[in-house]
Amino acid sequence: MSERGATRRRLAKAGVGAAGVLMTLESRATMSPMICKSPSGALSGGLSSHYGPAPVCNGLSPGYWKNHTGAWPCSTDTWFADVFYVSGNRRYCTVKQKNTSYLCSTMLGLLSPQRFDKYNLAMHAIATYLNIRSGKINFLSVETLLAMWYEVQTKGYYSPTVGVKWSPEQVKNYLQATHD
């Protein structure tokens, strides 16, 4: 059984709404659409009307941000734990520990795959953060992104709506689908 097939089966058990969204997210490689909706909006399947300004959907990948540091809306030396929830105290990080944990990593350092960053979730969270801050996407707020990360770190899942739980991998799939 392929990893993608196993993920789809797990999603089907999570509920029809969640499965439909994640099948869309996981089929992104073949269809290449970007998701331009908030997590709860993505679950609605486009059933609700859109009010307000049109969504801006020009998100860029972690690779782009890693290689175009001059375009960052914040410092590349920003500590990951200064933006995203991480338990512990960064002042205990030594030079030797740099980029060995979420606590002791910079945002730029986490744009390269790290052994401790399962599913590259932090990598995609950072790219999404930079996309929001730079105005490349507007359908997701920094507050929602930080809440997604916090819930995954403290509960082991993110709940975009009542009764739906996204695993860390599903959250990564959603974030990945918000950029090219």
Side-chain angles (χ1 to χ4, degrees), residues 65-123:
W65 291 111
K66 179 182 174 183
N67 293 309
H68 295 88
T69 55
W72 281 43
C74 62
S75 170
T76 58
D77 292 331
T78 300
W79 290 96
F80 182 75
D82 287 348
V83 176
F84 292 87
Y85 167 80
V86 178
S87 64
N89 191 328
R90 191 175 47 78
R91 72 176 173 203
Y92 297 115
C93 295
T94 66
V95 172
K96 223 174 152 181
Q97 292 173 308
K98 190 171 183 183
N99 296 324
T100 60
S101 68
Y102 294 130
L103 184 63
C104 299
S105 294
T106 63
M107 302 262 277
L108 180 59
L110 282 170
L111 287 179
S112 294
Q114 302 294 333
R115 201 174 38 230
F116 60 87
D117 185 22
K118 193 165 185 180
Y119 310 113
N120 294 320
L121 179 57
M123 177 188 296

Side-chain angles (χ1 to χ4, degrees), residues 60-63 65 111 122-132 179:
L60 299 168
S61 69
W65 291 111
L111 287 179
M123 177 188 296
H124 291 285
I126 292 166
T128 304
Y129 175 80
L130 296 171
N131 285 327
I132 295 167
H179 56 70

